[in-house]
Amino acid sequence: MQINITPSHTSRISEVDFFNLAFGREFTDHMLICDCIDGQWQTPEILPFGTISFSPGLSALHYGQSLFEGMKAHKDADDKAWLFRPLDNWRRLNISATRLCMAEVPEDIFMEGLKKLITMEKAWIPTHDGSALYVRPFLFATDDCIGVRPSANYRYMVICCPVNPFYTKPLRIKAEDKYVRAVEGGVGYAKAAGNYAGAMLPTREAQEQGFDQIMWLDGREKKYIEESGTMNLFFVIDGKLITPELSRTILDGFTRASIIQLAKDNGIPVEERKISIDEITALHQEGKLTEAFGTGTAATVSHVVAFNYRNVEYSLLPVEQRTVSTLLANALNDIKTFKAPDKHGWMVMAG
Ligand code: COI
């Protein structure tokens, strides 16, 4: 596939302190752009990273036809770059696009564009513990029109940031019983930019109350646990791994899917089912709920050390005493960092 490339003549890489990175603030030297004009995808371009310019009538700004994906690239000892499950990102991007009535991105533009860009940015992939190159594909509506209808034109882009762990400490999360994230029939399963906008006020309020993140409950009864901000959630109950079953109100995370597979590989029983907040608090009181953690591309596996529901705090095992979550976090990390064989074929060579 043809990709037009305009390389950057200078690199910012020597200005970046890879050990002190605020998530998402340092961008690599290049970006990928591909426009869809009246249903026709144009030739992708890789350009020096920089500003883009649009009319104030840009429809994405007014009606929110905007979505994104997140993935991570790692580098092996032979200096080869690898992406974790990128085809799953491609599929989910188009599931989100369909729900938001946007153009779907063809597989070759997604995969070939990523591979070319990652190859060009290989020097930016950090290799120290917990680090990665975070890759952000996104798609937005580009009609210059504030009429309320689906845009005829779209822009697909990919930008990249070297990152360290997203959460730097174990999390205290608050079960949210005032605001909701998603309801049946809505866009909860899509990686719609607006889902993240809607979570900002509740998250800020939770943070002002001393919590790190929110544990979302279902939008109808505020009874069943759904997910956390930026993560799917898992609980260890009596040695079993339990996670809310997928639905149209939960994001289908690939770290979630990978952890479920790794648990099965390691003989840990897994249940994907509805879990109510009352069940969780009761199991905690019986001493059966020991560990909890969140999973996500940015968050990888992040320990939850306590959750709070209606001002009651439920503390879980200290991280050093956790067997199940530590085993699973290490198993996943070992695959991504080439210390363990990739039996499931999750790693895709990018360049
Ligand atoms: C990701 O894990 O890639 C996410 O989508 C979370 C992001 C909002 C930082």
Side-chain angles (χ1 to χ4, degrees):
M1 197 190 59
Q2 165 88 14
I3 301 180
N4 296 334
I5 296 176
T6 308
S8 164
H9 293 301
T10 53
S11 174
R12 290 189 47 256
I13 198 164
S14 61
E15 294 162 27
V16 176
D17 176 357
F18 281 80
F19 291 89
N20 289 297
L21 298 163
F23 185 91
R25 279 211 189 273
E26 299 288 354
F27 297 100
T28 63
D29 293 323
H30 299 92
M31 59 187 184
L32 180 127
I33 293 187
C34 190
D35 287 323
C36 181
I37 300 176
D38 288 329
Q40 290 304 310
W41 283 96
Q42 312 294 304
T43 304
E45 280 187 274
I46 294 179
L47 300 171
F49 184 90
T51 52
I52 51 176
S53 164
F54 285 102
S55 150
L58 184 81
S59 61
L61 296 178
H62 298 272
Y63 306 118
Q65 274 190 302
S66 175
L67 59 86
F68 70 95
E69 275 298 323
M71 66 184 82
K72 277 182 175 166
H74 295 267
K75 205 158 55 172
D76 69 13
D78 298 323
D79 206 43
K80 293 266 179 292
W82 299 79
L83 285 163
F84 185 71
R85 306 187 71 161
L87 274 170
D88 291 293
N89 289 95
W90 171 67
R91 285 188 202 102
R92 190 173 63 185
L93 182 141
N94 284 336
I95 288 170
S96 303
T98 301
R99 178 61 183 85
L100 298 184
C101 208
M102 298 168 74
E104 292 185 23
V105 177
E107 182 179 346
D108 58 347
I109 292 179
F110 189 86
M111 289 305 295
E112 297 311 310
L114 271 177
K115 287 182 182 170
K116 191 73 208 167
L117 182 67
I118 303 295
T119 304
M120 288 175 66
E121 306 302 61
K122 205 149 67 171
W124 285 86
I125 306 178
T127 52
H128 58 273
D129 254 7
S131 69
L133 187 71
Y134 183 78
V135 181
R136 168 56 61 88
F138 57 110
L139 178 70
F140 57 98
T142 53
D143 271 10
D144 180 11
C145 172
I146 57 170
V148 189
R149 50 152 177 76
S151 182
N153 300 296
Y154 294 89
R155 173 164 288 190
Y156 169 66
M157 293 188 64
V158 186
I159 54 177
C160 310
C161 302
V163 295
N164 286 321
F166 190 67
Y167 294 115
T168 49
K169 60 177 180 56
L171 308 173
R172 275 182 70 229
I173 61 177
K174 175 193 166 193
E176 177 60 65
D177 62 352
K178 179 166 109 182
Y179 300 107
V180 298
R181 177 185 171 276
V183 287
E184 274 301 324
V187 298
Y189 64 96
K191 240 171 141 54
N195 281 340
Y196 294 78
M200 285 190 189
L201 177 68
T203 307
R204 186 165 71 188
E205 287 184 8
Q207 287 167 348
E208 282 166 357
Q209 293 157 14
F211 303 104
D212 301 297
Q213 260 302 347
I214 279 176
M215 173 155 80
W216 292 108
L217 303 179
D218 74 276
R220 209 158 61 92
E221 295 180 79
K222 298 206 186 109
K223 176 173 173 189
Y224 294 102
I225 295 169
E226 299 226 300
E227 58 178 74
S228 187
T230 79
M231 302 183 295
N232 292 113
L233 279 173
F234 285 87
F235 300 92
V236 179
I237 296 166
D238 254 350
K240 264 189 290 191
L241 190 65
I242 306 197
T243 188
E245 68 191 9
L246 290 179
S247 72
R248 301 299 263 179
T249 57
I250 294 181
L251 197 81
D252 179 359
F254 319 126
T255 311
R256 174 188 182 278
S258 309
I259 287 291
I260 291 173
Q261 184 59 55
L262 291 170
K264 290 179 180 163
D265 293 352
N266 282 279
I268 299 166
V270 183
E271 286 178 14
E272 293 179 67
R273 61 170 173 84
K274 280 184 179 293
I275 315 164
S276 73
I277 185 72
D278 294 333
E279 176 184 357
I280 285 290
T281 53
L283 287 164
H284 183 273
Q285 263 142 14
E286 290 164 34
K288 292 185 175 158
L289 169 61
T290 47
E291 307 176 27
F293 60 90
T295 60
T297 297
T300 58
V301 173
S302 294
H303 293 286
V304 172
V305 281
F307 68 94
N308 187 296
Y309 180 52
R310 296 187 170 156
N311 295 322
V312 181
E313 181 90 352
Y314 299 86
S315 296
L316 301 164
L317 266 189
V319 172
E320 332 50 85
Q321 292 174 29
R322 296 182 170 199
T323 48
V324 176
S325 27
T326 310
L327 181 149
L328 294 171
N330 289 343
L332 182 62
N333 190 49
D334 286 352
I335 295 172
K336 289 187 180 174
T337 54
F338 318 99
K339 291 183 200 119
D342 172 25
K343 285 197 304 200
H344 299 287
W346 290 333
M347 303 295 280
V348 173
M349 198 193 284

